[in-house]
């Protein structure tokens, strides 16, 4: 079976065009540059990278900030004029965009409801920016494993589609692997369209990540910085902590293009397709939700914020977690400061292993944030989900699916039931002898 993509969805083309038009006036062929590291004197390239013969190919923007701002305002004004007219004529419900007053650090946002093809939009926008302006280096930053897997799969299944649309450009995409950091050197030196997919945690903490460590050919992060990639941030609301924002800035982006259905800060919003409008266009269907509530359980990551205190020299958060000690597993209250790791403090319990390093204590708004993107306010409690509850959810979904299908089959209405999973391995694992079912598939 081969997937076929519709290349002329008007709402997607409008979103793509809004991105392309921000750079209106940038001549074709001026979007990239070549240089030798030995000739490069910018302050962000350390002395040890002066290796002379290494030739880098990067992005170059010749437009003034004032022109970019005018272009941004023109895109926003056009959106408002077009959709205000539609709202008046048809009673549609497109919300208007606020005109930008400043560039906000060259951050641009696109809001698209889940299920309307935002990944397709930003992948096609990459090809448009390459075709029209010559920009060659793009980095897609993702907040976690599930989205990373989805982006890679979309790159694979759309490659032939985009090759047909854009006359088969020379293009490569890579998933960053700390064990293969030479990929970043290839990313910077290859004279072709290059797309790098990278998890935010791979470069958010300098002292522990290989990307910041020297090698016999240089420091990997400096190669990314030198070529000024256009950075696409997928689900940016998960990357608003100071450490993660600094990490993205460390990539030295030419600009950031931010895609989400639920922006926390919609910097320079260029296009908006909210849930109501998506439903009106028939792009998303009515959704029914069954809720399952769990009792307290020691088998999952439990966390509750009890108190946040600010002293002259120290800001702390009092947090309740499940901790293993000489007396067994107990619920304990700990006083945390920025940088503390719940994995270590819990007695190295695996449920706190994935990103529970405290990144921010916000005294003004009374919340804390961890390196996995999770944010907790005073009194908020997170217990995770028991496997038994997930089993029940699958069972209930299958039951509801067939009940609804039986009810609607004579009306020609198709019923879809969706499962969102945290990682592919929970459904299927691959080895040398083929694949085997993961726990979700077995329960199903």
């Amino acid at each position: 079976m081969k997937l076929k993509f519709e290349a002329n969805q008007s709402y997607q083309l409008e979103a793509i065009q809004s991105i392309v038009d921000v750079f209106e006036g940038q001549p074709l062929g001026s979007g990239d540059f070549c240089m030798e590291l030995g000739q490069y004197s910018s302050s962000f390239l350390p002395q040890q990278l002066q290796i002379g013969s290494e030739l880098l190919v990067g992005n170059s923007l010749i437009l003034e900030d004032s022109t970019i701002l005018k272009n941004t305002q023109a895109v926003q004004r056009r959106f408002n004029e077009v959709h205000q007219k539609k709202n008046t004529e048809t009673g549609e419900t497109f919300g208007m965009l606020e005109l930008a007053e400043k560039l906000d650090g060259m951050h641009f946002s696109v809001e698209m409801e889940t299920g309307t093809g935002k990944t397709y939009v930003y992948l096609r926008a990459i090809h448009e920016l390459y075709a029209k302006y010559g920009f060659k280096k793009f980095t897609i930053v993702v907040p976690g494993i599930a989205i990373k897997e989805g982006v890679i799969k979309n790159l694979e299944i759309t490659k032939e589609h985009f090759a047909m649309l854009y006359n088969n450009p020379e293009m490569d995409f890579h998933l960053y692997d700390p064990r293969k950091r030479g990929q970043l050197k290839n990313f910077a030196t290859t004279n072709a369209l290059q797309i790098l997919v990278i998890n935010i945690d791979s470069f958010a903490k300098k002292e522990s990540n290989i990307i910041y460590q020297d090698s016999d050919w240089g420091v990997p992060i400096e190669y990314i910085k030198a070529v000024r990639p256009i950075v696409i941030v997928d689900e940016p609301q998960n990357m608003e902590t100071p450490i993660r924002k600094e990490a993205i800035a460390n990539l030295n982006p030419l600009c950031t293009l931010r895609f989400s259905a639920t922006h926390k800060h919609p910097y320079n919003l260029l296009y908006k397709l909210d849930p109501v409008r998506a439903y009106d266009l028939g792009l998303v269907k009515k959704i029914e939700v069954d809720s399952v509530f769990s009792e307290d359980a020691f088998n999952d990551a439990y966390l509750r914020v009890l108190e946040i205190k600010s002293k002259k020299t120290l800001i702390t958060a009092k947090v309740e977690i499940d901790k293993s000690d000489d007396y067994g597993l107990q619920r304990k209250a700990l006083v945390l400061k920025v940088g503390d790791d719940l994995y270590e403090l819990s007695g190295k319990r695996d449920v706190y292993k994935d990103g529970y390093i405290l990144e921010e204590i916000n005294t003004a708004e009374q919340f804390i944030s961890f390196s996995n993107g999770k944010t907790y306010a005073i009194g908020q409690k997170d217990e995770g989900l028991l496997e038994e509850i997930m089993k029940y959810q699958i069972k209930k979904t299958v039951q509801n699916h067939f009940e609804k299908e039986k009810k609607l089959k004579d009306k020609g209405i198709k019923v879809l039931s969706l499962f969102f999973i945290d990682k592919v391995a929970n459904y299927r694992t691959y080895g040398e002898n083929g694949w085997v079912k993961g726990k979700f598939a077995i329960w199903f």
Side-chain angles (χ1 to χ4, degrees):
M1 181 181 71
K2 181 181 291 187
L3 292 173
K4 291 186 178 181
F5 294 90
E6 172 55 62
N8 299 305
Q9 297 276 13
S10 60
Y11 71 95
Q12 292 179 342
L13 294 177
E14 184 181 356
I16 294 163
Q17 195 61 47
S18 71
I19 297 165
V20 173
D21 287 350
V22 166
F23 302 99
E24 185 64 38
Q26 172 91 358
L28 176 63
S30 63
D32 69 344
F33 68 86
C34 294
M35 67 175 185
E36 291 184 3
L37 283 181
Q39 299 171 341
Y40 198 73
S41 59
S42 177
S43 60
F44 63 66
L45 207 59
Q47 188 64 35
Q48 63 264 29
L49 279 181
Q50 306 295 309
I51 56 180
S53 61
E54 203 72 74
L55 188 67
L56 304 188
V57 180
N59 294 329
S60 176
L61 181 64
I62 68 170
L63 297 181
E64 302 256 345
D65 285 357
S66 58
T67 301
I68 296 288
L69 180 58
K70 287 179 181 178
N71 288 345
T72 301
Q73 292 170 337
V75 168
Q76 294 167 330
R77 195 174 289 112
R78 180 180 67 202
F79 178 96
N80 289 343
E81 290 171 356
V82 169
H83 295 294
Q84 182 62 56
K85 184 178 179 181
K86 287 185 178 180
N87 290 350
T88 302
E89 292 176 351
T90 66
E92 294 178 349
T93 52
F94 254 110
M96 299 297 103
L97 303 183
E98 182 178 349
L99 294 188
E101 296 181 358
K102 57 182 180 178
L103 288 181
D104 273 331
M106 290 287 283
H107 300 297
F108 304 97
S109 302
V110 172
E111 179 182 323
M112 295 183 71
E113 178 60 13
T114 301
T116 59
K118 68 179 175 62
T119 306
Y120 176 90
V121 166
Y122 69 63
L123 293 182
R124 185 162 174 180
I126 287 174
H127 286 272
E128 286 284 343
L129 292 170
Y130 172 63
K132 185 166 184 178
Y133 305 120
F135 296 127
K136 291 181 178 177
K137 302 303 167 74
F138 296 83
T139 301
I140 302 173
V141 179
V142 297
I145 296 172
I147 293 177
K148 176 187 72 177
E149 296 284 352
V151 173
I152 291 297
K153 178 57 67 176
N154 272 276
L155 281 163
E156 291 171 353
I157 64 178
T158 58
K159 187 172 183 179
E160 183 178 337
H161 169 72
F162 290 136
M164 292 177 63
L165 284 179
Y166 295 98
N167 196 26
N168 198 28
E170 185 180 354
M171 186 272 284
D172 291 307
F173 60 86
H174 309 279
L175 173 63
Y176 171 66
D177 183 343
R179 297 167 298 182
K180 302 176 182 177
R181 54 182 174 175
Q183 293 171 325
L184 302 188
K185 182 179 179 182
N186 293 334
F187 172 80
T189 57
T190 300
N191 188 14
L193 177 57
Q194 297 287 294
I195 302 172
L196 175 69
V197 181
I198 186 168
N199 192 319
I200 184 69
D201 288 331
S202 297
F203 64 101
K205 287 181 67 63
K206 288 187 177 181
E207 61 273 15
S208 60
N209 284 325
I210 291 175
I211 199 170
Y212 292 99
Q213 298 173 10
D214 199 3
S215 69
D216 56 357
W217 50 266
V219 181
I221 190 71
E222 300 300 338
Y223 278 74
I224 299 181
K225 294 167 69 173
V227 299
R228 300 203 67 198
I230 292 177
V231 174
I232 293 169
V233 186
D234 198 325
E235 305 295 352
Q237 71 275 11
N238 295 318
M239 305 185 212
E240 292 288 356
T241 64
I243 289 177
R244 290 185 167 199
K245 289 166 71 174
E246 181 185 0
I248 293 172
N250 281 340
L251 299 177
N252 191 35
L254 182 142
C255 69
T256 65
L257 304 176
R258 305 157 61 85
F259 289 78
S260 177
T262 53
H263 285 283
K264 188 174 181 180
H265 300 293
Y267 308 93
N268 292 325
L269 190 58
L270 302 175
Y271 180 80
K272 182 177 183 179
L273 180 60
D274 60 24
V276 175
R277 177 59 181 165
Y279 183 78
D280 287 345
L281 290 174
L283 302 175
V284 296
K285 309 301 180 184
K286 180 180 178 181
I287 297 173
E288 295 182 359
V289 178
D290 273 342
S291 296
V292 179
F293 298 93
S294 64
E295 299 294 331
D296 289 357
F298 289 109
N299 295 324
D300 297 286
Y302 170 84
L303 189 150
R304 185 181 184 188
V305 183
L306 302 175
E307 187 179 39
I308 292 176
K309 281 188 175 181
S310 177
K311 298 181 180 179
K312 287 185 178 180
T313 59
L314 185 65
I315 298 174
T316 60
K318 190 175 183 180
V319 174
E320 188 177 59
I321 68 169
D322 290 337
K323 181 179 179 181
S324 295
D325 57 25
D326 293 339
Y327 300 97
L329 188 62
Q330 301 183 63
R331 198 148 281 179
K332 295 277 190 178
L334 305 176
V335 177
L336 308 180
K337 61 183 183 300
V338 171
D340 283 346
D341 187 345
L342 292 190
Y343 174 65
E344 297 293 337
L345 296 175
S346 67
K348 297 189 175 180
R349 297 195 66 227
D350 285 343
V351 292
Y352 297 109
K353 194 172 185 178
D354 187 15
Y356 281 96
I357 299 171
L358 186 59
E359 284 196 348
E360 179 185 8
I361 303 175
N362 191 308
T363 57
E365 299 183 34
Q366 295 285 285
F367 69 83
I368 64 175
S369 296
F370 291 90
S371 59
N372 57 14
K374 290 188 175 183
T375 299
Y376 302 90
I378 290 285
Q380 184 177 345
K381 182 168 64 173
D382 183 20
E383 304 170 71
L385 281 173
L386 295 170
E387 288 198 352
E388 290 302 317
I389 291 175
M390 290 190 284
K391 287 180 186 178
Y392 178 79
Q393 289 178 315
I394 291 174
K395 179 179 178 180
K396 189 67 174 176
T397 301
V398 173
Q399 179 184 338
N400 287 347
H401 178 95
F402 284 112
E403 288 175 354
K404 185 139 296 188
E405 192 170 80
K406 183 178 180 181
K407 180 180 178 181
L408 299 175
K409 67 175 183 176
D410 293 335
K411 298 182 179 180
I413 297 174
K414 184 177 182 179
V415 179
L416 293 178
S417 299
L418 304 180
F419 295 90
F420 294 89
I421 65 176
D422 55 351
K423 54 186 176 182
V424 173
N426 277 338
Y427 183 77
R428 181 178 292 177
T429 57
Y430 297 86
E432 294 180 358
N433 299 320
W435 59 267
V436 295
K437 290 182 178 180
K439 61 184 180 181
F440 291 165
I442 292 171
W443 299 342
F444 184 86

